[in-house]
Each structure stands twice: as C-alpha cells, then as structure tokens.
Amino acid sequence: MALDEYGVAIGDFVRFTRDSVDDFGRYFHGHITIRVSPSQTIASAIDVNKPDGGVQYFHPTKLDPARFNPVSGMANGYQQLARNSSSGALDYKRNPLIAEPLGCGALIYVFINWITGGHQNIWTDNVGTAALDHLESMFATPANVRKVYLFGAPYPVPHTGLPQGIHDVHCNQGDPAGPFQHLDAIWQDGGVIVKYTDDHLEGYFVKFQTQTLNTNDAGLPA
C-alpha cells in the first residue's frame, strides 16, 4: 500500500523547537514551523529518537541543486507529489539527490553504496541527542535560511486544502512485518531540505534501524 497522501510543504522558516526530554518512553521529535503565506503556517514533527534509541540519520551539507528539480521551482505552499522519479518526490534508495553526493569522492561513494546494498554507509546511528542536534544546527542562523522544504504526509487526512502540518518526515519504506509495513511504498520518503541565502542546499533524512533500503518496487524488504 502507501501513505494516504504525500507531498512537500514549502515556506519561510519561523522557528525550531524540541520536545521536552522525559522518562515516559515517548518518541522524541524536533519541530519545524514554516510560513507558507502571510496568514498560514505549517508545522512538522521529525522523529529523532525512539524509546529503544533505534534511529539513524543523514545530514548532507552539499546537495546538488541540479537534482532538486522540479521542487526547487515550486511556489510556497503545500504541493502534492506523485510517487515517481519525475515529480520531485524523495526516495532514499532511488533518488540521486540523496544517494549520490557532490565532490571528488562521489564515484567511490556510489561504489561502496552499491556493494553494501542500500546506502548503509551514509547513515549514522543516533547517540543521545546527536540526531536532534544535527537537525537544529541547520537553523542556527535563521537569517541565512532562504527556504525550507518539508517532505512527508499532510495532516489532517484526507487532504481537503492547506494542511495544518506534515508528519511521516522519515523513511517510508522497508519496514519489517508489523504495524507500519502497510504504509510502505517507493518514492514517498520524508525529509527536510533547506536552501540558504548563498544558494547551497542541506538535507536531513532519518530512518529507523528496523528499516532496510534494500527494497523491491513495492517498497517492501527485498
């Protein structure tokens, strides 16, 4: 199956906040709010920790702008995205924006990713608040943030207008058998991409350690 709906919210940075640390075993989130029009904001919650700590993250600081089409040309607001390779949708395994970095080491990087079967070498296991710290660092100087792109599922669902927020801002494929696998599909991964005033792009992508990127065309573990 798949998420009920998938898209990207585009807007100007408003604020970043953290969940309060607690001892009740809840999921831990970073919250990004963006302004998509003079009268409308959209919030998001990004998973950065689970009760068992099983989260991995990837924070590339130099994404290729040429591979960020057609989303880079879209206007502020919420844009529904088709789940395919031409809409601008994210896929941690299949989209070269994520899978192939810029720089002289790119060919070696791609080769290592190929032999590891699913880009495992780019992912860092979260320790303590490291994943949240990396996410927050993207907004350390708000004046330098030109545009924020939040990929995921809108809520409320079904979508009947501008959503209140974006969730599922994480990998949405490769789940083991269980309560989340029915949501899996390809070309519907969540993530955060920030465009800065100097025009460079940074990304923040997160997956659970139980998820694999060695997936078939249905987004299920191969």
Side-chain angles (χ1 to χ4, degrees):
M1 296 180 67
L3 299 175
D4 288 333
E5 187 177 329
Y6 174 76
V8 58
I10 305 168
D12 302 320
F13 177 68
V14 175
R15 61 182 169 271
F16 177 90
T17 59
R18 298 174 176 235
D19 280 347
S20 297
V21 177
D22 60 64
D23 297 320
F24 301 106
R26 296 190 296 221
Y27 285 66
F28 196 42
H29 302 90
H31 300 271
I32 300 168
T33 301
I34 62 174
R35 184 168 300 283
V36 297
S37 75
S39 61
Q40 181 73 41
T41 60
I42 290 180
S44 64
I46 297 94
D47 291 295
V48 291
N49 208 354
K50 288 172 59 179
D52 61 5
V55 166
Q56 298 175 313
Y57 64 96
F58 175 42
H59 175 198
T61 59
K62 193 176 181 182
L63 295 175
D64 186 350
R67 289 172 169 164
F68 194 44
N69 294 318
V71 173
S72 60
M74 293 179 179
N76 282 9
Y78 170 73
Q79 312 289 342
Q80 189 172 358
L81 298 176
R83 277 162 265 208
N84 59 47
S85 61
S86 60
S87 69
L90 298 185
D91 187 301
Y92 290 1
K93 175 180 180 179
R94 297 163 181 83
N95 192 327
L97 174 73
I98 302 170
E100 299 175 18
L102 289 169
C104 60
L107 291 177
I108 296 174
Y109 182 100
V110 171
F111 175 72
I112 294 174
N113 280 336
W114 177 74
I115 64 174
T116 57
H119 314 298
Q120 295 300 314
N121 65 302
I122 68 176
W123 298 95
T124 300
D125 292 341
N126 181 52
V127 177
T129 63
L132 184 60
D133 293 341
H134 272 263
L135 178 60
E136 187 172 20
S137 73
M138 297 172 72
F139 307 98
T141 308
N144 291 341
V145 177
R146 175 172 291 170
K147 198 72 64 181
V148 180
Y149 303 82
L150 303 172
F151 292 80
Y155 63 85
V157 172
H159 175 54
T160 56
L162 200 63
Q164 296 174 349
I166 302 293
H167 64 163
D168 293 317
V169 188
H170 52 65
C171 182
N172 292 303
Q173 62 178 303
D175 283 290
F180 302 111
Q181 194 178 77
H182 71 285
L183 299 173
D184 285 353
I186 61 175
W187 294 105
Q188 60 161 24
D189 287 332
V192 180
I193 294 178
V194 177
K195 184 176 183 178
Y196 294 90
T197 53
D198 65 359
D199 288 332
H200 88 274
L201 296 172
E202 293 189 18
Y204 184 88
F205 312 108
V206 65
K207 63 184 288 291
F208 302 113
Q209 288 178 335
T210 53
Q211 293 174 311
T212 177
L213 294 182
N214 184 20
T215 55
N216 61 23
D217 289 343
L220 300 176

